[in-house]
Amino acid sequence: MLLLLVSEAISLSLLWLVPQRAVGKMGYWCAVLAVVGVGAYVNASPKSAKICFRKDFAFGVATAAYQIEGAWNISGKGESIWDRYTHEHPDWVFDHKNADVATDSYHKYKEDVKLIGDLGVSYYRFSISWSRILPTGLSNQINEDGLRYYKDLITELHQKDVQALITMYHWDLPQSLQDLGGWTNPIMAEYFVDYARVLFRHFGDHVRAWVTFNEPLSFCQEGYGGQDAPGRRASGVEDYMCAHTVLRAHGMVYRMYKEEFDRNNQGYIGIALDMPWMEPYTTSSVDKVAAETARQFLFGWFANPIFSKRGGYPPIMRRRIDVISKRQGFFRSRLPTFTKEEVDMIRGSYDFLGLNHYTTNLVKPGDGRITAKPSFYNDMGVKLIVSPEWPKSNSSWLRIVPWGLRKTLNWIRHTYDNPSVVITENGVSFEKGLKDRKRINYIDSYLRSVHAAIYKDNCDVIAYTYWTLMDNFEWMRGFSERFGLYETNYSTPDLKRIPRLSASYFERVARTGCLDDHSSSPRNYDGMVIL
Ligand SMILES: *[C@@H]1O[C@H](CO)[C@@H](O)[C@H](O)[C@H]1NC(C)=O
Ligand SMILES: *[C@@H]1O[C@H](CO)[C@@H](O)[C@H](O)[C@H]1NC(C)=O
């Protein structure tokens, strides 16, 4: 235990989002508990124990540019693929809305930063709109107003003692780059490097934590093979091309940052990957194999090239897609191949792994048929289901399964040799209303799961980010799904933000680093598994 603490203390210097929590009463207790061994303490008396994270564990909240900024066509901002997509196909969005105004954070950022400050979190994860900085996507024309907006935002955050964790790409590709094929065009990697260089030049002195891409699984698979912008319907082909370019772009930006901007090694770059936990449907070995195949297709697709020792795509993906492509009559595999140099360049290109995690699926083998039309899901060849016993949220895809997060963190630990993990998103949608005890239960139970992963299982998790600050535009679900700690009142002209109960709950957690006692924590629905 002592040795462990010493090695953990060294990794402290890795920390960039360290909370400013004073060593008050709770901080003192956390320190004491850490010394005597939190695991032992919690085990001794699980009913009444106060569960605390170490003082250097950071809490934050997240948003993304397109979902909150609005101001889609003012002050020189260029059109993005989400502007184009929602304007051309309003009927494809659940409530036929778009984010032309969203929560108007472009104009209301000062108010939003105050809300963030009120939460007592130590960092704010937000994204930069590429086409607000570079209206055509290319670096020869920089929009000064875009630079000013984000500079002001960062300054405002710092005045409230909140650090910035910047996502460079959260799905809103400049439309003019999509007109060149978007992420299926390999040159997009170079253009992304140029864009990143502009960001590092202008913000690099004040921002030390960066996420290159948010959820490439979503924007490649859903964007190029599914329902999201840019609305390509070419699963099994273009989604693999997208991923290939994105992985190269990520590696290139990492290397460029380290060589040109981060000589003292004080900055941190990661990528945010999404993964629902994939639990075998039964304990049978075929179900276990199916679940691991799903993990490799959904997460390993992006994680293996960056975080594994050997690099490159997961062997199971390589094998399955090569074989199925051949059977479908292709002369070459639909899954592209990295050069040896690319494998080496991408492998190890991280300072932390960003994990977006919300829910869990059960997995069993598919029917084994190969479809004539290529498809990512046919290549994966498994069936994903949910247990009817798992509590529902307000999102059809999101069942509440807190233990899935602990399993995910442990799987990452043993698959990728325990990288530092920032939980870059975790959250839940419920119906509107301020008394959101169900949201408090969700956060509380998922945080208990994180706590167990850290202090019982030795997973190296260093921060937790709640998605999201306030209700906002949830992509194809429009404004119908509400994930906010603050409720956005869309009926008021000034889009008033009103704190929910979960906002004061999360503030307490962020300020003290501790979860409420079980006995005092409200729990009002069945089926919740408490770790
Ligand atoms: C910007 O878009 C809005 C619709 O969201 C439209 O009413 C307005 O005329 C546009 N402004 C400019 C300058 O194009
Ligand atoms: C939202 O605004 C409407 C209109 O002003 C008001 O009637 C309603 O009470 C507000 N909702 C909340 C939760 O404050």
Side-chain angles (χ1 to χ4, degrees):
M1 191 62 199
L2 194 60
L3 265 180
L4 185 70
L5 281 174
V6 169
S7 70
E8 279 177 1
I10 290 165
S11 79
L12 264 187
S13 58
L14 267 180
L15 274 182
W16 25 279
L17 304 170
V18 179
Q20 302 297 310
R21 283 201 291 279
V23 186
K25 204 169 163 212
M26 276 351 288
Y28 172 77
W29 267 110
C30 290
V32 170
L33 293 180
V35 172
V36 300
V38 172
Y41 176 81
V42 170
N43 283 339
S45 156
K47 280 283 178 319
S48 61
K50 199 145 184 109
I51 290 194
C52 295
F53 290 82
R54 275 189 10 195
K55 278 211 326 253
D56 55 342
F57 187 86
F59 292 91
V61 285
T63 61
Y66 183 68
Q67 296 178 269
I68 65 161
E69 285 179 5
W72 78 279
N73 60 353
I74 70 150
S75 294
K77 178 181 167 293
E79 187 187 22
S80 81
I81 56 173
W82 276 91
D83 296 324
R84 174 73 62 91
Y85 195 65
T86 54
H87 290 155
E88 282 190 348
H89 309 287
D91 48 314
W92 290 357
V93 180
F94 177 77
D95 54 9
H96 298 199
K97 301 265 172 55
N98 59 51
D100 286 1
V101 178
T103 62
D104 200 26
S105 291
Y106 177 81
H107 295 108
K108 294 167 74 70
Y109 72 93
K110 284 194 181 169
E111 185 185 327
D112 288 343
V113 171
K114 181 171 179 315
L115 302 180
I116 295 162
D118 289 349
L119 288 174
V121 294
S122 59
Y123 66 97
Y124 174 44
R125 176 178 174 229
F126 62 93
S127 83
I128 289 184
S129 157
W130 187 340
S131 64
R132 197 180 290 289
I133 300 283
L134 306 176
T136 64
L138 302 179
S139 58
N140 63 324
Q141 187 195 339
I142 298 181
N143 179 27
E144 289 302 323
D145 179 77
L147 293 178
R148 179 203 53 75
Y149 171 65
Y150 294 109
K151 266 187 190 148
D152 289 351
L153 172 60
I154 293 164
T155 306
E156 198 73 17
L157 286 167
H158 285 172
Q159 280 169 1
K160 294 258 186 299
D161 251 333
V162 177
Q163 299 301 311
L165 168 55
I166 293 185
T167 310
M168 304 162 90
Y169 184 81
H170 202 122
W171 304 9
D172 45 357
L173 190 72
Q175 180 61 41
S176 50
L177 297 185
Q178 185 57 45
D179 297 342
L180 301 173
W183 293 107
T184 61
N185 185 339
I187 196 147
M188 225 43 64
E190 267 84 15
Y191 292 160
F192 185 70
V193 170
D194 295 345
Y195 162 59
R197 189 176 275 113
V198 172
L199 299 189
F200 294 145
R201 266 192 200 145
H202 289 275
F203 309 123
D205 288 346
H206 305 287
V207 177
R208 286 174 53 198
W210 302 86
V211 167
T212 51
F213 291 99
N214 182 71
E215 298 186 359
L217 171 69
S218 299
F219 75 79
C220 286
Q221 213 294 305
E222 287 298 317
Y224 291 83
Q227 303 300 313
D228 286 4
R232 305 288 309 162
R233 302 281 193 275
S235 181
V237 178
E238 292 193 19
D239 38 12
Y240 295 136
M241 294 179 179
C242 169
H244 203 68
T245 310
V246 164
L247 282 160
R248 287 177 45 249
H250 166 84
M252 287 158 68
V253 164
Y254 182 87
R255 303 294 167 205
M256 181 267 284
Y257 179 65
K258 294 293 163 183
E259 274 162 35
E260 295 178 30
F261 294 93
D262 191 34
R263 296 251 169 71
N264 301 329
N265 226 10
Q266 303 206 314
Y268 297 87
I269 295 205
I271 185 168
L273 304 179
D274 48 318
M275 174 150 102
W277 174 243
M278 293 289 139
E279 177 76 3
Y281 184 62
T282 69
T283 53
S284 74
S285 60
V286 285
D287 287 351
K288 283 184 185 162
V289 169
E292 182 60 16
T293 302
R295 289 170 208 136
Q296 293 296 344
F297 268 75
L298 298 170
F299 195 79
W301 184 9
F302 298 94
N304 206 75
I306 300 171
F307 298 94
S308 75
K309 279 208 181 67
R310 293 176 62 104
Y313 290 119
I316 182 76
M317 265 188 104
R318 180 85 272 160
R319 212 159 50 234
R320 286 190 65 92
I321 301 169
D322 288 0
V323 167
I324 294 173
S325 298
K326 202 167 192 176
R327 298 258 293 266
Q328 288 166 324
F330 290 93
F331 282 7
R332 65 180 68 241
S333 177
R334 288 177 282 101
L335 184 67
T337 307
F338 292 116
T339 64
K340 170 86 176 59
E341 289 70 30
E342 286 170 338
V343 168
D344 292 342
M345 183 267 294
I346 297 167
R347 190 180 51 193
S349 60
Y350 69 93
D351 299 310
F352 64 90
L353 185 157
L355 172 69
N356 292 3
H357 175 93
Y358 292 86
T359 192
T360 288
N361 283 106
L362 296 171
V363 193
K364 52 184 180 180
D367 58 16
R369 281 211 301 263
I370 293 177
T371 54
K373 190 172 167 348
S375 128
F376 171 81
Y377 280 97
N378 188 239
D379 290 339
M380 180 160 64
V382 306
K383 215 167 158 184
L384 302 181
I385 44 189
V386 295
S387 163
E389 283 158 27
W390 295 341
K392 292 179 181 173
S393 68
N394 233 30
S395 305
S396 57
W397 56 272
L398 201 172
R399 295 288 184 125
I400 299 161
V401 192
W403 51 262
L405 179 48
R406 182 175 178 183
K407 289 203 174 191
T408 303
L409 291 168
N410 274 284
W411 183 81
I412 288 171
R413 174 175 60 82
H414 70 74
T415 307
Y416 306 113
D417 199 18
N418 208 12
S420 293
V421 172
V422 171
I423 295 172
T424 32
E425 287 180 24
N426 174 245
V428 66
S429 69
F430 286 116
E431 60 280 4
K432 91 178 168 184
L434 302 179
K435 296 204 164 63
D436 59 340
R437 294 204 169 78
K438 288 191 288 188
R439 183 172 283 102
I440 295 177
N441 286 345
Y442 176 98
I443 302 173
D444 185 78
S445 59
Y446 274 69
L447 276 174
R448 280 169 204 274
S449 193
V450 174
H451 190 276
I454 300 173
Y455 302 105
K456 290 187 178 153
D457 312 333
N458 290 322
C459 296
D460 185 15
V461 188
I462 58 181
Y464 172 92
T465 322
Y466 182 76
W467 178 273
T468 178
L469 175 62
M470 70 223 148
D471 301 339
N472 56 44
F473 185 79
E474 273 296 330
W475 311 104
M476 300 309 280
R477 304 295 301 170
F479 295 102
S480 70
E481 296 184 0
R482 294 168 178 268
F483 284 79
L485 296 175
Y486 290 86
E487 178 154 312
T488 305
N489 191 339
Y490 298 111
S491 332
T492 56
D494 63 339
L495 298 166
K496 207 163 157 34
R497 292 88 154 107
I498 312 145
R500 295 194 164 117
L501 283 183
S502 57
S504 50
Y505 161 82
F506 198 62
E507 180 195 350
R508 209 155 57 238
V509 172
R511 288 199 195 280
T512 63
C514 295
L515 305 178
D516 294 345
D517 285 345
H518 270 173
S519 47
S520 63
S521 150
R523 258 159 225 295
N524 57 2
Y525 59 102
D526 300 327
M528 181 67 88
V529 182
I530 299 162
L531 284 160

